[in-house]
Amino acid sequence: MVVGSGAREHALGWKISKSPLIRDIIFVPGNPGMAEIGECMSANPQGVSEVARIAKEKRVDLTVVGPEAPLMAGIVDELEASGLKVFGPTSSAAKIEGSKSFAKDLMLRNGVPTGSAKVFEDFEEARAHIETLKHPFVIKADGLAAGKGVMIVLDFRSGIEALKKCLVDGVFGDAGKKVLVEEYLEGNEVSILSLSDGKSLAHMEASQDHKRAFDNDKGPNTGGMGAYSPVPFLSSETEKHIHTEIMEKTVEAMRLEGVPYKGVLYGGLILTVDGPKVLEFNVRFGDPETQVVLPRLRSDLVPGLLATVDGTIGEYGTEWSSECCVCVVVASGGYPGKYETGLPIKGLKAASADSKVEIFHAGTKKTDGKLVTAGGRVLNVVALGDDFRDAVGLAYESVQMLSFEGMHYRRDIGKRAIEALEGV
Ligand code: GLY
């Protein structure tokens, strides 16, 4: 059973469905793309007991949880208590994403490289502190704030506004009662996904997300407008350093502190001039990073998921395709701001005809048997190629066959990878 309804969960289901170990997949609640590979059951993915009831009734052998919210709400704790196998961290371990101050403190105490930061609950104390800082710096709400809790501060005035928003006006509710005032890290961003059984890890190959809405990293932050893998400017030496000094060290620190981390640990990293540093940890697969990492994974994912749960991840070996993978997110006009839904989507069959292309559904639904838009990010077009030029070319050829009113997408996904390889 896969819990979630976005392109990440579609990609997970797609990869899982290729395993000879799998007979049936249930998606809760799923989407029309997932309905083509399994059964979709409508339930609120955050309704922990509802999901547990379905898992019991359907005698599910393994549950994989996509989004962070059900993990924080204790879905793993609930399913484990019912004797069911579930992939993901307990709600206590999920704190590494759910509380930025917990994560920062853990990293600083254990020598995991990250930006320096101070934690505040009092507005006046925070204000006095930012008066001493040089710009830019970052103000982060401690808890989950629907992707809006990170504010890059370019002048004192906007710093005060960000602090007020969290500590005085309570715009983020409990999530913003505490803030971190953090060093701004400069450099290229890289995402690493590692499967952890609490002691050992199996690392996935690196990827890069494109978070801004428009080309050349302009415009507001989004849930991710595209991604690519591998990352040509990440040397194998630096990648190894990230595995040992960041991902493995963090899992070991969690184990020693009595909150063993099981599941996928997502490291959002910045390659600074002083080496890689952690920007944030997430407790789930990256979206859209998963959509470019899994198509390159030659190994069966299911034994890796089971080994994570069973404590034997050290025995899981990953084999990777040398192909390059690119994902272009096709979004509704206006996203990440206001957008219309219910708009008919055309061209899906032609766009996915090439065997090197997969289209993962994000915000879609069926109305009167027709596929229509149902969210900000609508479809993810994923293409594999022998090199980045091939993969990018194929992805955009496919994107151009799709249409719905107002459709928008970035036209520069993968450009940085091509530039790095061609020395531009
Ligand atoms: N790609 C960003 C995230 O999954 O949080």
Side-chain angles (χ1 to χ4, degrees):
M1 179 162 85
V2 176
V3 178
S5 62
R8 166 185 52 202
E9 289 79 24
H10 188 181
L12 278 164
W14 167 83
K15 181 67 184 165
I16 289 169
S17 71
K18 294 184 179 300
S19 171
L21 298 169
I22 296 295
R23 200 183 58 219
D24 299 305
I25 308 189
I26 299 168
F27 293 96
V28 179
N31 68 28
M34 300 184 219
E36 285 174 18
I37 47 177
E39 180 188 358
C40 292
M41 297 195 63
S42 61
N44 173 7
Q46 282 180 59
V48 163
S49 43
E50 208 179 329
V51 175
R53 181 184 50 76
I54 296 176
K56 275 188 239 163
E57 268 173 28
K58 292 279 182 177
R59 291 192 285 146
V60 164
D61 295 308
L62 174 67
T63 299
V64 182
V65 184
E68 63 278 9
L71 292 166
M72 282 166 208
I75 196 166
V76 168
D77 311 63
E78 175 95 13
L79 289 172
E80 276 180 352
S82 308
L84 296 164
K85 272 193 197 216
V86 51
F87 175 91
T90 58
S91 66
S92 331
K95 259 198 315 202
I96 197 162
E97 175 172 351
S99 168
K100 305 224 180 297
S101 57
F102 169 83
K104 186 63 75 177
D105 195 40
L106 183 93
M107 287 187 271
L108 293 176
R109 268 187 289 111
N110 291 281
V112 175
T114 184
S116 58
K118 281 196 169 204
V119 180
F120 295 94
E121 291 185 50
D122 178 75
F123 173 74
E124 286 307 331
E125 282 175 24
R127 179 196 163 95
H129 176 64
I130 70 166
E131 269 176 17
T132 68
L133 298 180
K134 275 207 214 122
H135 310 112
F137 57 87
V138 183
I139 295 181
K140 284 183 182 170
D142 182 51
L144 284 186
K148 298 197 170 71
V150 178
M151 293 147 278
I152 296 170
V153 176
L154 300 174
D155 56 64
F156 181 68
R157 219 181 133 110
S158 55
I160 294 294
E161 272 166 28
L163 290 177
K164 264 205 181 125
K165 224 168 151 178
C166 297
L167 300 175
V168 180
D169 302 336
V171 170
F172 302 121
D174 282 353
K177 276 190 171 159
K178 229 189 237 181
V179 296
L180 279 80
V181 179
E182 198 172 319
E183 177 189 358
Y184 176 77
L185 298 176
E186 206 158 344
N188 257 315
E189 218 171 311
V190 169
S191 306
I192 300 282
L193 304 172
S194 306
L195 303 184
S196 163
D197 66 5
K199 287 200 297 280
S200 304
L201 290 88
H203 305 285
M204 303 277 132
E205 288 215 340
S207 55
Q208 191 184 49
D209 184 11
H210 296 61
K211 290 203 171 73
R212 300 295 196 100
F214 308 125
D215 289 4
N216 300 314
D217 293 329
K218 298 277 188 305
N221 263 334
T222 68
M225 292 299 287
Y228 63 82
S229 175
V231 177
F233 50 82
L234 179 67
S235 67
S236 49
E237 194 189 359
T238 306
E239 194 167 10
K240 182 88 194 110
H241 177 84
I242 292 171
H243 293 166
T244 55
E245 296 308 304
I246 294 181
M247 307 306 285
E248 290 165 20
K249 215 179 212 181
T250 301
V251 165
E252 182 60 3
M254 295 282 280
R255 190 179 73 81
L256 293 175
E257 299 207 359
V259 270
Y261 188 90
K262 275 188 170 197
V264 61
L265 183 64
Y266 164 135
L269 309 153
I270 300 282
L271 305 178
T272 75
V273 286
D274 301 322
K277 294 191 181 180
V278 179
L279 193 61
E280 61 176 6
F281 281 119
N282 293 314
V283 296
R284 39 139 186 108
F285 284 96
D287 188 354
E289 290 94 326
T290 305
Q291 290 85 304
V292 289
V293 168
L294 294 184
R296 298 189 55 243
L297 178 64
R298 282 224 173 101
S299 327
D300 186 346
L301 178 64
V302 175
L305 300 173
L306 289 169
T308 302
V309 179
D310 294 339
T312 54
I313 197 67
E315 291 162 26
Y316 178 62
T318 53
E319 201 194 319
W320 295 93
S321 155
S322 61
E323 285 178 305
C324 299
C325 192
V326 170
C327 167
V328 180
V329 172
V330 175
S332 295
Y335 173 79
K338 276 199 181 135
Y339 52 82
E340 235 185 284
T341 57
L343 303 166
I345 301 170
K346 298 203 185 94
L348 193 61
K349 203 163 167 203
S352 50
D354 194 299
S355 65
K356 295 282 181 192
V357 173
E358 288 299 329
I359 300 191
F360 297 122
H361 291 231
T364 70
K365 69 171 184 187
K366 283 249 169 107
T367 301
D368 301 327
K370 294 215 170 70
L371 193 69
V372 299
T373 64
R377 291 187 292 170
V378 177
L379 293 165
N380 285 194
V381 177
V382 175
L384 283 162
D386 289 339
D387 58 26
F388 274 113
R389 281 204 180 270
D390 277 357
V392 167
L394 187 56
Y396 281 108
E397 251 173 54
S398 180
V399 166
Q400 278 150 21
M401 292 181 209
L402 293 168
S403 65
F404 56 84
E405 204 185 307
M407 158 174 150
H408 92 88
Y409 56 89
R410 275 181 62 160
R411 284 162 170 80
D412 64 343
I413 305 298
K415 189 172 139 202
R416 213 170 295 145
I418 295 175
E419 285 175 357
L421 286 165
E422 296 180 358
V424 178

